[in-house]
Amino acid sequence: MQTARGDGRRFERLSGTLAVLSAAVVAMALFAIASIVEPEALLTPAVLLPAAAINIGIVAALAWGLAYYRGRLVAADKAIRLERRARGEAGRQRDSAATLVDSDTATIVMTEPGRAPRLVNAGTTPGLPRDLVQLLDWQIWLPAETAHLVAFQMQQLLADGRAFTSAATTLMGSRVEFDGRGSAAGAVLRIRDVTARVGDAAELQRRAQRLQREAKLWRGIGDALPMPVWLRGPDNRIDWVNNAYVKAVDALSREDVRMRQVEWLDETARHTAEQRASDGRAHRERMLVRQGNERRSFDVTLTSLAGSGGEQARAGFGMEASRGKAGGLDDRGATGIDPTFDRVATAIAIFGPDQRLDFVNPAFRALWRLEPGWLAARPRFGELLDRLRETRQLPEEAEYHAWKQQQLRTVNERIEIADSWHLPTGRAVNVRSLPRADGGVTCLYDDVSEQLGLESRLNALLHVQGETLDHLKEGVAVFGTDGRLRLFNSAFAGIWKLNPDDLAREPHVEEVLLRCRVLYSHDETWHAINRAVTGMVDQRQRIEGTMTRPDASVIAYAGLPLPDGAQLLTFVDVTDATRAERMLIERNEALETADRLKDQFVSSVSYNLRVPLQSIIGFSDLLSSPVFGPLNAKQREYVEDIATSSNTLLAIINDILDLATIDAGALELKLVPISVEAVIRAAAAGVAERVARAKLELIINIDPDVSEVVADEHRLKQVLFNLLANATSHSDDGDRVALVCRREAGRIVFEVEDEGAGISHDQQRTVFDRFIGRAQGSRQRGAGLGLAMVKSLVELHGGDVSLASEPGQGTRVTIRLPERASRGLPQRRPASP
């Protein structure tokens, strides 16, 4: 409707605009007719001015009407598109809402302002009416008290939008939940069936109550037991103990045991037993446990319990072993045994007067790894030896019975026996058997395998260390905290001409330094070394220095404090190194002097040679001009020779100065994009006279894809000119000289090739060296700077140059320049010696 009304208003404006335009057209037509009928009357100012104003107004009205109508059409079209988009989005939202409502199992009632309530979703809750009127009559399907409460909450929701959530049981026995929410569009009531959820919660509550009763019952049974019982959690901490456990450890209460984690069993024995009790299997072991002032024998049972979440808990209890039980390793004879035996690393076994085993400590069990049940049977001393022999834990003796009788002498003859057993497994055990005052025997077993291994490795290390020190060129001496010599090598004795036998007596540092003063008597140095060894300072520091002895030898020394408080001194004979260093310093000074002389020479050449040459060239040019009169043929020839020689000499001087500038690192390139063809043509123009005079054929070939290169135009022209000049000067009359330019692997390549006599292989190695010229036949030998200048300038551009030649087959020189040169100034070259 709104769109139709908008279209009507736009049509009315369009009609008005067209009426104005029509009136304007009619007025213009009448004016045109009048101008045809009576043109003289229209040419008066009284007619022309109003007519002009009318026409301007008509044109303005026409323009405004068109602009206004166009703007309205654009706005109307945009509004239509927005309205269509909003309708589509609203449709999609309604579809999504309908899908969510259809998939919901709850009963949904919506109330909008000014409209009757409507049932949005009937739901699947059993016992609820499907009719809206019956559904809102709460007393039909709810108890009276609940119906009044729900009606009151609905009134508050509709009146001021107060949300509520409540639960109730229907008359059919179903448990439902009411959820009322208010919004700007009205109020929504959701009724869900929560019967199943309430039943699950009740079942969980009943199960929890049953587990609590069972736990209380089992803990009551545990408290009634006379034996210590404990339970550990997944973190291996004590979680619960019974009253007997609290009494056994003399604790105040269960909370006191849990807070202080008071252990009843010995820690080492407990860890060993817990490792054996795994995978839910119970492990039983007899242990000696300290009770008050005595140690008693208990049969301890440990087991692992897996929880529902995969965590591992541990439970245990201990039952006191019966006194005097046959075949048991109990506390008989153990009363009064120091509990320290359980903590020492030495394996201990105590035999009573009846030669039966009364006590073993954890170290004994770990050393021999005998079955706990077999040890609990209290074997005799001889039976223990037989058992160890069966498990190959005794020395392999050819006469075992005689060896066994020798071991039993400590029992039979009451004498102390000390022996070392080297077992087949590679272990070494020191054994001592000591008679007891009560007629029993105490056996001590020390496993010294690791100790012997360490001693062996230490001896080997000391041997390697000694060999290493003896083969060092540096003299090494180590002084202990008492100032005595603990370690030295032969180099130390050789440097200071000392007797190794005297040093082996570990003399004091003052005695050693006194003998060293014979070769070097500088007191301050020896005092510094003495303080480093014997001085008592807060912070020890290293010392170093050099000694120049009267025999012209130079000794470098250094002192380094060691972590154990000792002092390490090293002495190195650096006489040869010092001489070489001094020679290098003198040589470097000479080179620097030569470099300065070269710079002075270059400056002198720059001024004292080029200025006279410029004068000679100027005067030769002046003589050759017709200003001072004509010259005869011989005079002109002499003047031309003077000019040619002067220009040649000036070029040589300029090359020398350029090379010196490059060596000094002062030559700066002006890198700009330049035309390859232009620079080649300019270089070729420099040798055009020579080409024409010798009737040479100069061929220039530039690939089409090569247009420009980033380089110094003047220096690149100088490089190409030197190559062409070198090629033309070594070519015979009528030969061919070629210059080729192409792109190759991101580089610009220039090749200059001639058909001259070529270069021998011996000369090719020095062809780029300076002042190495080549003579060809009767031709004059050049200064030898052309190719050297080419190489220096090309490398300054970041490129490279190569030469290929065969005697009698010509020469080809190739230079490769980067297409985008970015190289900086070269390093200063060292001066020639």
Side-chain angles (χ1 to χ4, degrees):
M1 294 297 292
Q2 293 178 358
T3 304
R5 287 196 295 270
D7 293 341
R9 286 195 294 271
R10 285 196 296 274
F11 181 73
E12 290 174 0
R13 294 192 186 94
L14 177 59
S15 300
T17 304
L18 293 178
V20 173
L21 294 178
S22 301
V25 173
V26 171
M28 293 179 65
L30 292 177
F31 181 76
I33 295 172
S35 64
I36 295 173
V37 176
E38 296 181 1
E40 294 82 2
L42 296 176
L43 296 178
T44 62
V47 177
L48 288 177
L49 292 177
I54 293 172
N55 288 332
I56 293 174
I58 292 171
V59 171
L62 178 61
W64 175 84
L66 291 175
Y68 175 78
Y69 180 67
R70 181 179 179 277
R72 297 304 300 174
L73 288 178
V74 171
D77 182 65
K78 183 176 181 182
I80 291 172
R81 289 199 302 272
L82 291 176
E83 182 180 2
R84 290 176 179 173
R85 188 181 302 168
R87 288 179 178 177
E89 185 64 27
R92 286 192 294 272
Q93 294 292 340
R94 286 195 298 271
D95 294 341
S96 299
T99 302
L100 291 175
V101 170
D102 292 340
S103 61
D104 197 350
T105 60
T107 301
I108 304 175
V109 179
M110 178 176 290
T111 303
E112 299 176 351
R115 300 181 64 181
R118 56 190 181 93
L119 185 62
V120 179
N121 188 35
T124 60
T125 304
L128 266 68
R130 294 293 184 266
D131 183 64
L132 179 61
V133 177
Q134 296 180 358
L135 179 65
L136 298 180
D137 190 357
W138 313 110
Q139 295 182 356
I140 295 177
W141 55 282
L142 287 174
E145 184 179 354
T146 304
H148 289 305
L149 176 61
V150 174
F152 175 73
Q153 291 174 338
M154 284 297 297
Q155 289 177 1
Q156 289 184 328
L157 175 63
L158 296 175
D160 53 6
R162 185 178 302 176
F164 71 93
T165 300
S166 61
T169 303
T170 66
L171 296 177
M172 298 294 293
S174 300
R175 187 71 174 173
V176 295
E177 181 184 66
F178 296 92
D179 185 9
R181 293 289 183 269
S183 64
V188 179
L189 175 64
R190 298 170 61 90
I191 306 174
R192 297 188 187 89
D193 183 11
V194 294
T195 305
R197 190 169 60 188
V198 173
D200 293 342
E203 178 62 24
L204 290 176
Q205 185 177 5
R206 289 192 297 270
R207 186 180 301 175
Q209 293 175 352
R210 185 176 70 253
L211 292 176
Q212 289 177 356
R213 289 194 301 270
E214 292 179 357
K216 186 176 181 180
L217 175 62
W218 283 111
R219 292 195 176 187
I221 295 174
D223 283 336
L225 293 175
M227 64 186 70
V229 180
W230 65 94
L231 180 65
R232 295 180 181 274
D235 56 355
N236 204 29
R237 291 175 58 85
I238 297 176
D239 188 54
W240 178 86
V241 296
N242 66 346
N243 294 330
Y245 188 100
V246 176
K247 183 179 179 181
V249 297
D250 294 330
L252 299 177
S253 62
R254 289 194 186 93
E255 293 299 326
D256 183 33
V257 173
R258 277 197 306 186
M259 290 181 61
R260 296 192 294 125
Q261 292 292 303
V262 182
E263 297 289 351
W264 179 57
L265 298 178
D266 177 74
E267 183 176 1
T268 304
R270 178 175 61 83
H271 283 311
T272 304
E274 286 180 350
Q275 291 176 358
R276 296 171 182 173
S278 59
D279 300 332
R281 295 194 300 268
H283 172 72
R284 184 177 180 183
E285 184 174 346
R286 179 162 294 183
M287 301 182 184
L288 288 177
V289 183
R290 190 172 186 83
Q291 293 286 101
N293 295 326
E294 61 181 6
R295 295 174 64 88
R296 297 181 183 177
S297 180
F298 282 81
D299 290 329
V300 179
T301 302
L302 300 175
T303 183
S304 296
L305 306 175
S308 58
E311 66 275 5
Q312 289 287 336
R314 293 185 176 88
F317 63 89
M319 182 179 296
E320 188 173 5
S322 299
R323 292 178 177 268
K325 182 179 179 180
L329 179 60
D330 53 24
D331 58 350
R332 179 177 46 196
T335 302
I337 294 178
D338 193 340
T340 308
F341 289 172
D342 289 341
R343 301 184 180 275
V344 297
T346 301
I348 301 175
I350 299 177
F351 295 86
D354 57 354
Q355 298 188 15
R356 288 190 174 274
L357 184 63
D358 277 346
F359 169 79
V360 294
N361 66 342
F364 182 92
R365 301 175 189 271
L367 175 64
W368 301 117
R369 299 185 182 277
L370 299 174
E371 296 83 355
W374 187 82
L375 292 175
R378 301 184 66 235
R380 293 180 179 274
F381 184 51
E383 294 174 350
L384 176 63
L385 295 177
D386 294 339
R387 186 68 173 182
L388 291 178
R389 184 169 182 264
E390 292 176 3
T391 57
R392 299 191 73 241
Q393 298 188 85
L394 282 184
E396 294 181 339
E397 297 289 340
E399 298 293 337
Y400 170 69
H401 293 289
W403 180 86
K404 179 180 178 181
Q405 293 300 323
Q406 180 69 21
Q407 298 295 323
L408 291 176
R409 290 178 60 195
T410 188
V411 178
N412 301 328
E413 302 178 14
R414 311 289 300 161
I415 61 175
E416 179 180 343
I417 295 178
D419 196 2
S420 295
W421 294 356
H422 295 278
L423 308 183
T425 57
R427 291 191 302 171
V429 180
N430 289 338
V431 181
R432 293 189 67 184
S433 300
L434 305 174
R436 292 169 53 91
D438 60 355
V441 177
T442 300
C443 297
L444 306 178
Y445 305 90
D446 283 327
D447 188 352
V448 294
S449 305
E450 185 176 359
Q451 178 181 353
L452 294 178
L454 290 175
E455 291 180 357
S456 176
R457 289 194 293 270
L458 178 61
N459 293 332
L461 182 62
L462 292 176
H463 178 72
V464 172
Q465 182 185 43
E467 291 294 326
T468 304
L469 290 177
D470 286 339
H471 287 80
L472 289 178
K473 295 182 179 179
E474 296 84 356
V476 177
V478 178
F479 292 89
T481 55
D482 56 355
R484 292 191 171 275
L485 183 64
R486 299 301 183 192
L487 182 67
F488 70 95
N489 63 350
S490 56
F492 173 75
I495 290 175
W496 294 107
K497 307 295 190 292
L498 301 177
N499 187 352
D501 295 336
D502 294 338
L503 297 178
R505 295 186 294 101
E506 298 185 356
H508 195 268
V509 62
E510 293 183 353
E511 182 181 352
V512 176
L513 299 184
L514 183 62
R515 297 181 182 180
C516 294
R517 289 175 185 269
V518 177
L519 299 179
Y520 184 71
S521 60
H522 193 264
D523 293 338
E524 185 177 352
T525 301
W526 297 119
H527 287 162
I529 295 176
N530 191 9
R531 285 195 304 270
V533 175
T534 62
M536 302 295 293
V537 294
D538 295 336
Q539 185 176 2
R540 305 173 67 197
Q541 298 179 351
R542 61 178 301 166
I543 60 173
E544 58 183 10
T546 57
M547 309 175 185
T548 303
R549 299 194 307 203
D551 58 357
S553 61
V554 180
I555 307 299
Y557 69 91
L560 179 66
L562 300 179
D564 60 350
Q567 182 74 25
L568 171 66
L569 296 179
T570 61
F571 299 88
V572 184
D573 189 347
V574 295
T575 304
D576 296 337
T578 304
R579 292 174 182 172
E581 181 182 3
R582 188 179 298 114
M583 292 176 59
L584 290 175
I585 293 174
E586 294 175 354
R587 182 181 180 85
N588 185 63
E589 292 175 351
L591 291 176
E592 291 180 353
T593 302
D595 194 39
R596 287 195 300 270
L597 292 176
K598 184 188 69 174
D599 293 340
Q600 294 174 2
F601 170 75
V602 169
S603 299
S604 177
V605 168
S606 177
Y607 178 77
N608 295 326
L609 289 182
R610 284 205 294 187
V611 172
L613 277 177
Q614 293 290 351
S615 300
I616 295 173
I617 293 173
F619 283 122
S620 64
D621 292 340
L622 186 63
L623 289 175
S624 61
S625 66
V627 177
F628 295 97
L631 300 176
N632 57 33
K634 201 65 174 177
Q635 291 173 342
R636 183 173 299 279
E637 181 181 355
Y638 290 158
V639 170
E640 290 177 355
D641 289 343
I642 292 173
T644 301
S645 300
S646 299
N647 287 325
T648 301
L649 181 58
L650 180 61
I652 293 173
I653 293 174
N654 288 334
D655 289 344
I656 292 174
L657 294 177
D658 288 342
L659 290 173
T661 304
I662 293 174
D663 292 341
L667 183 61
E668 296 182 358
L669 299 178
K670 299 179 180 178
L671 302 177
V672 294
I674 59 175
S675 172
V676 174
E677 183 178 1
V679 74
I680 290 177
R681 299 299 179 188
V687 297
E689 182 180 355
R690 163 63 184 163
V691 170
R693 186 170 60 250
K695 297 180 181 181
L696 300 175
E697 181 183 2
L698 180 60
I699 301 174
I700 298 176
N701 187 5
I702 303 174
D703 283 357
D705 61 340
V706 178
S707 58
E708 65 178 23
V709 64
V710 177
D712 188 315
E713 182 176 5
H714 173 68
R715 298 302 177 182
L716 182 58
K717 186 188 302 181
Q718 184 178 359
V719 168
L720 297 179
F721 172 77
N722 286 347
L723 293 179
L724 290 175
N726 184 74
T728 56
S729 63
H730 291 86
S731 298
D732 296 329
D733 295 346
D735 285 350
R736 180 179 62 85
V737 176
L739 193 157
V740 179
C741 180
R742 67 178 184 274
R743 177 178 281 104
E744 180 183 288
R747 291 192 168 196
I748 304 299
V749 180
F750 297 89
E751 284 186 357
V752 177
E753 185 175 3
D754 62 65
E755 298 177 344
I759 306 173
S760 64
H761 296 288
D762 294 338
Q763 292 180 342
Q764 289 181 20
R765 293 194 299 269
T766 60
V767 70
F768 290 105
D769 294 343
R770 301 175 186 182
F771 303 105
I772 304 297
R774 295 185 294 119
Q776 181 180 355
S778 61
R779 293 198 180 108
Q780 183 179 359
R781 177 173 178 169
L785 294 176
L787 292 180
M789 177 62 68
V790 168
K791 186 175 185 297
S792 298
L793 291 177
V794 169
E795 291 178 349
L796 192 63
H797 278 79
D800 60 82
V801 59
S802 61
L803 180 141
S805 180
E806 291 292 337
Q809 298 181 10
T811 304
R812 181 175 68 254
V813 180
T814 304
I815 63 174
R816 296 175 176 82
L817 298 178
E819 191 171 0
R820 301 292 176 186
S822 59
R823 177 154 177 168
L825 295 177
Q827 298 293 329
R828 181 180 179 90
R829 292 176 55 184
S832 301

